[in-house]
């Protein structure tokens, strides 16, 4: 990377015309890369007044300035207008895509327009092709992957594939895009955006090269970082049991959602704990390209197939969030059942978290008579894995009006059928942390409505227990609110720095701000290193402004009643504290965006 370069190299492809161009996008010391680059590109080329699925809206895949140069710099930020809520959104994924983009010679790929037929985009350092793949319509993610890997055979091993399943083609608002089989751009509908563009898949060929920086600083710093992540226990948790280790821990804390958050702990946890998956189902661990840790856990699913005594063996990835969403949240207590459900979810191209939580709401809605089998078409019941497999196919394919409505998100379903009070939605379908007030506010109002925006769940766990019915004075609540809001804003900023580089968030301890500045300087990006603190604050403001400009109204966000009814190890939820925190965080978001609220505007 030239020491004096201040521009990001962006490949823009217009699917409507097949035309492409390389844009030297100036301003890297200001937007850095990754999250900041995606936001800057949308600000320059997006259409805030148009709907999310308008063909002119850009779909952006951005890497960072450190991608390919240091360990765990292995993620890609996908930026897009979300069909779930219409707002600017991000999703992050690993796999081989980040290194493939680096070796293809691009800091970002930006796709606009829609193809006339279902297509696959093939991108390399010297190649750009759009192939008609109409024969893949309706095919699942794995079948699609087999066909797409035929493109660019000469780049096998340096090639990455992004593809969608039936859910993306049908426009399910939380359809994901599968990356290299075991990683995903999930949650807010990147797969549906690809579907709206008639884009079944993208193949990126890492068929070029990237020169290593000269001098002594770079190799020394690389060795130091590599040693920190491999020679200490810093990353050991992620390699061993992986994040599935959290299941037993959170269940013990009374913070694991069960059966649509009707409970926060259950003795049946042993059947789906991380230890159970490791003992019975773990086949192997693998890693994203450029990562020495190996946190991706692959389970072996053994299913009886066709005739007696014949079995089909499948490899299915798992970690904490999928097991929560399609295990405890649905009342499943057998690890193999969870893996079977995840396999179908994967093939259909659904986000596993939103799909699981949406099905949990539908199950309780059926129990309460809010909906009947006339709508669900299958007898949903907690613990009934066969019914959930059928439901996933209804959800992905939009079999009837109920499933098409639920496919727009649980809020759309509750607006039509009722049951909002027991919906587990915090901006979008919840993540698996029933830890308390700070996390509930952080996810409901956070930029991505994600547990990855900040450590709100860890903040909750640092709080002492409370006596049931204990009274806290208003000034005590106000002090706690100020402390929590300051933590959320600062922690978000630290994560933004990581997401601009773009590193795996598991590597936060390895990459302090000072270490990132050293890493940038060592590869010749002195301006980016010097400006990093100011740039991160500017990116934080730019992201929030984009979200507000595309329809986000934080004042209107509510937290459903279900979240006030639970009890954790701390005791009952403090609703006065949670409401005060929610209002204070709304104000903080407006300040971070440097934009006034509705009344002042």
């Amino acid at each position: 990377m030239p020491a004096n370069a201040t521009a990001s190299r962006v490949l823009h492809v217009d699917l409507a015309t097949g035309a492409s161009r390389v844009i030297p996008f100036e301003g890297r010391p200001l937007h850095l890369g990754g999250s900041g680059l995606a936001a800057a590109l949308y600000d320059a080329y997006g259409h805030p007044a148009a709907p999310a699925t308008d063909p002119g809206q850009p779909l952006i895949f951005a890497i960072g300035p450190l991608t390919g140069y240091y360990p765990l710099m292995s993620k890609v930020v996908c930026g897009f207008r979300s069909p779930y809520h219409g707002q600017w959104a991000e999703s992050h994924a690993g796999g081989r895509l980040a290194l493939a983009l680096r070796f293809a010679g691009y800091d970002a790929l930006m796709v606009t327009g829609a193809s006339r037929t279902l297509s696959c985009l093939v991108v390399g350092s010297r190649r750009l092709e759009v192939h008609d793949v109409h024969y893949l319509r309706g095919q699942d993610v794995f079948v699609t992957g087999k066909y797409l890997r035929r493109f660019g055979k000469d780049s096998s091993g340096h090639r990455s594939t992004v593809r969608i399943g039936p859910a993306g083609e049908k426009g399910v608002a939380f359809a994901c895009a599968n990356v290299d089989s075991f990683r995903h751009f999930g949650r807010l509908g990147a797969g549906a955006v690809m579907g709206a563009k008639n884009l079944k898949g993208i193949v990126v060929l890492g068929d070029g090269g990237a020169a290593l920086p000269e001098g002594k600083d770079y190799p020394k710093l690389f060795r130091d970082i590599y040693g920190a992540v491999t020679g200490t226990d810093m990353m050991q948790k992620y390699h061993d049991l992986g994040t599935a280790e959290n299941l037993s821990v959170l269940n013990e804390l009374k913070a694991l959602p069960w059966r649509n958050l009707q409970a926060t702990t259950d003795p049946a946890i042993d059947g789906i704990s991380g230890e159970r998956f490791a003992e019975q189902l773990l086949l192997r661990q693998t890693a994203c390209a450029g990562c020495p840790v190996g946190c991706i856990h692959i389970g072996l699913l053994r299913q009886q197939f066709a005739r007696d005594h014949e079995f089909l063996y499948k490899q299915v990835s798992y970690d904490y969030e999928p097991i929560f969403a399609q295990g405890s949240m649905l009342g499943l207590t057998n690890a193999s059942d969870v893996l079977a459900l995840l396999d179908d979810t994967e093939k259909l191209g659904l986000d596993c978290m939103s799909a699981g939580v949406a099905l949990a709401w539908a199950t309780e809605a059926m129990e309460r008579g809010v909906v009947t089998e006339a709508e669900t078409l299958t007898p949903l019941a907690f613990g009934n894995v066969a019914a959930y497999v059928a439901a996933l196919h209804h959800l992905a394919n939009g079999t009837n009006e109920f499933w098409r409505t639920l496919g727009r998100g649980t809020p759309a379903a509750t607006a039509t059928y009722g049951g909002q009070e027991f919906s587990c939605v915090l901006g979008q379908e919840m993540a698996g942390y029933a830890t308390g007030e700070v996390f509930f506010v952080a996810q409901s109002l956070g930029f991505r409505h994600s547990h990855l925006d900040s450590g709100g769940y860890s903040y909750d766990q640092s709080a002492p227990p409370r006596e049931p019915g204990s009274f806290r004075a208003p000034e005590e609540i106000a002090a706690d609110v100020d402390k929590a809001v300051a933590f959320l804003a600062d922690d978000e900023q630290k994560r933004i720095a990581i997401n601009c580089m773009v590193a795996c968030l598991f590597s936060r301890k390895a990459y302090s701000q000072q270490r990132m500045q050293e890493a940038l300087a060592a590869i010749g990006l002195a301006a980016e290193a010097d400006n990093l603190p100011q740039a991160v604050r500017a990116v934080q403001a730019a992201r929030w402004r984009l979200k507000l400009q595309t329809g986000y109204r934080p004042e209107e966000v509510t937290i459903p009643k279900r979240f006030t009814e639970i009890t954790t190890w701390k005791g009952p939820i403090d609703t006065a504290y949670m409401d005060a925190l929610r209002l204070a965080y709304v104000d903080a978001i407006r300040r971070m965006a440097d934009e006034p609220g509705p009344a002042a505007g």
Side-chain angles (χ1 to χ4, degrees):
M1 186 176 291
N4 62 348
T6 60
S8 298
R9 195 164 185 264
V10 179
L11 176 63
H12 174 209
V13 179
D14 183 349
L15 292 174
T17 64
S20 66
R21 58 177 177 152
V22 175
I23 302 169
F25 193 71
E26 291 289 346
R28 190 172 56 230
L30 300 175
H31 57 66
L32 300 171
S35 183
L37 175 56
L41 284 168
Y42 186 85
D43 192 42
Y45 297 99
H47 305 283
T53 54
D54 185 283
Q57 297 286 18
L59 174 65
I60 300 161
F61 301 91
I63 59 174
L66 302 183
T67 298
Y69 292 101
Y70 295 98
L72 287 104
M73 291 291 168
S74 55
K75 296 284 186 176
V76 178
V77 171
C78 180
F80 55 97
R81 283 285 293 279
S82 169
Y84 188 96
H85 52 40
Q87 301 155 20
W88 174 244
E90 286 179 11
S91 185
H92 304 176
R96 294 186 297 274
L97 184 59
L99 281 186
L101 282 166
R102 169 62 70 218
F103 288 111
Y106 304 113
D107 296 296
L109 168 64
M110 180 169 67
V111 183
T112 58
S115 295
R116 289 187 294 276
T117 63
L118 195 66
S119 299
C120 171
L121 172 64
V122 181
V123 170
S125 61
R126 296 173 297 277
R127 289 177 60 182
L128 194 146
E129 303 156 3
V130 179
H131 294 271
D132 181 347
V133 293
H134 68 274
Y135 49 86
L136 291 178
R137 187 167 296 281
Q139 294 294 334
D140 70 44
V141 161
F142 297 141
V143 170
T144 300
K146 290 178 182 178
Y147 279 92
L148 296 191
R149 282 189 286 272
R150 298 177 182 180
F151 298 116
K153 288 183 179 179
D154 53 338
S155 297
S156 178
H158 300 270
R159 172 189 58 197
S160 180
T161 61
V162 183
R163 66 268 193 177
I164 62 174
E169 293 178 27
K170 297 285 186 178
V172 174
F174 45 84
C176 70
N178 177 288
V179 184
D180 301 325
S181 297
F182 301 126
R183 301 290 87 186
H184 315 84
F185 292 116
R187 304 300 274 143
L188 286 170
V193 174
M194 287 182 63
K197 293 184 178 300
N198 240 350
L199 187 60
K200 184 68 170 177
I202 302 171
V203 179
V204 179
L205 312 174
D207 55 358
L212 290 176
E214 298 179 354
K216 298 179 181 179
D217 291 343
Y218 170 69
K220 180 181 183 302
L221 186 58
F222 184 98
R223 285 193 297 269
D224 288 348
I225 295 172
Y226 185 87
V229 299
T230 61
T232 70
D233 62 359
M234 181 187 298
M235 308 297 289
Q236 185 173 349
K237 164 187 172 180
Y238 302 111
H239 175 78
D240 292 351
L241 285 181
T243 58
E245 176 182 291
N246 294 340
L247 284 145
S248 293
V249 174
L250 290 170
N251 191 71
E252 180 68 23
L253 282 174
K254 297 182 180 179
L256 177 64
W258 283 88
R259 296 175 294 279
N260 201 41
L261 197 52
Q262 294 183 65
T264 53
T265 187
D266 195 295
I269 185 61
D270 289 344
I272 57 169
S273 67
E275 293 79 2
R276 179 69 65 187
F277 272 83
E279 291 165 3
Q280 293 187 343
L281 299 172
L282 179 61
L283 174 66
R284 62 189 175 95
Q285 288 123 309
T286 186
C288 299
C291 173
V293 175
C295 75
I296 304 172
H297 288 64
I298 310 298
L300 182 64
L301 176 62
R302 180 175 182 260
Q303 290 181 315
Q304 193 163 346
F305 179 69
R307 297 179 297 275
D308 290 344
H309 310 301
E310 291 189 13
F311 292 90
L312 184 65
Y313 295 89
K314 303 177 183 178
Q315 298 184 45
V316 185
S317 65
Y318 68 85
D319 54 38
Y320 172 73
E321 296 294 350
I323 299 172
F324 133 74
Q326 303 202 356
S328 64
M329 197 65 165
L330 298 178
L332 296 180
T333 57
N334 180 282
S336 291
D337 287 345
V338 176
L339 214 59
L341 207 59
L342 290 174
D343 181 53
D344 271 62
T345 304
E346 188 82 82
K347 288 189 293 188
L348 293 164
L350 287 164
D351 177 75
C352 66
M353 291 168 64
S354 282
V357 175
L359 291 182
W361 170 83
T363 305
E364 186 169 348
M366 194 167 180
E367 285 185 343
R368 291 170 173 253
V370 173
V371 297
T372 68
E373 197 169 336
E375 284 85 25
T376 66
L377 306 177
T378 188
L380 296 177
F382 291 116
N384 186 340
V385 66
Y388 287 131
V389 168
L392 285 171
H393 286 263
H394 291 312
L395 181 59
N397 290 288
T399 308
N400 65 7
E401 187 60 33
F402 172 78
W403 291 111
R404 287 190 290 274
T405 303
L406 190 59
R408 302 204 315 268
T410 305
T414 61
T416 301
Y417 298 95
Q420 191 272 345
E421 69 277 9
F422 57 86
S423 66
C424 293
V425 172
L426 296 169
Q428 65 177 325
E429 287 78 13
M430 74 175 295
Y433 299 89
T435 54
E437 301 89 351
V438 178
F439 174 69
F440 296 160
V441 169
Q443 187 184 346
S444 62
L445 286 166
F447 178 79
R448 288 194 285 159
H449 303 296
S450 170
H451 61 294
L452 298 174
D453 285 337
S454 71
Y457 51 89
S458 62
Y459 189 94
D460 279 327
Q461 292 175 65
S462 69
R466 292 189 298 268
E467 290 296 325
S470 60
F471 173 79
R472 291 203 296 165
E475 57 270 22
E476 184 181 357
I477 291 176
D480 284 351
V481 164
D482 289 345
K483 183 179 176 183
V485 168
F487 167 82
L488 293 175
D490 178 68
D491 195 41
E492 178 194 280
Q493 203 171 97
K494 292 174 181 175
R495 292 171 187 243
I496 287 172
I498 291 283
N499 293 335
C500 286
M501 292 302 101
V502 184
C504 173
L505 280 169
F506 290 165
S507 68
R508 294 190 301 279
K509 291 182 180 178
Y511 287 105
S512 64
Q513 179 175 285
Q514 180 181 344
R515 179 53 58 91
M516 282 187 278
Q517 288 177 291
E518 293 171 354
L520 288 164
I523 64 170
L525 298 181
E528 287 81 353
D530 292 342
N531 197 51
L532 182 64
Q534 296 88 341
V536 169
R537 288 193 292 273
V539 169
Q540 184 179 40
R543 292 161 84 239
W544 280 117
R545 281 196 298 272
L546 271 186
K547 192 168 174 68
L548 291 165
Q549 288 165 14
T550 52
Y552 183 46
R553 299 293 178 265
E555 298 82 4
E556 298 174 4
V557 173
T558 59
I559 298 176
K561 183 181 178 183
R562 175 54 51 87
F563 294 97
T564 70
E565 298 172 336
I566 68 167
T567 298
T568 73
W569 82 100
K570 294 185 299 182
I573 294 298
D574 186 336
T575 54
Y577 171 52
M578 187 162 69
D579 198 49
L581 179 59
R582 180 181 61 81
L583 295 174
Y585 194 40
V586 168
D587 289 341
I589 288 169
R590 290 288 182 182
R591 289 197 302 273
M592 287 187 284
D594 195 26
E595 290 204 359

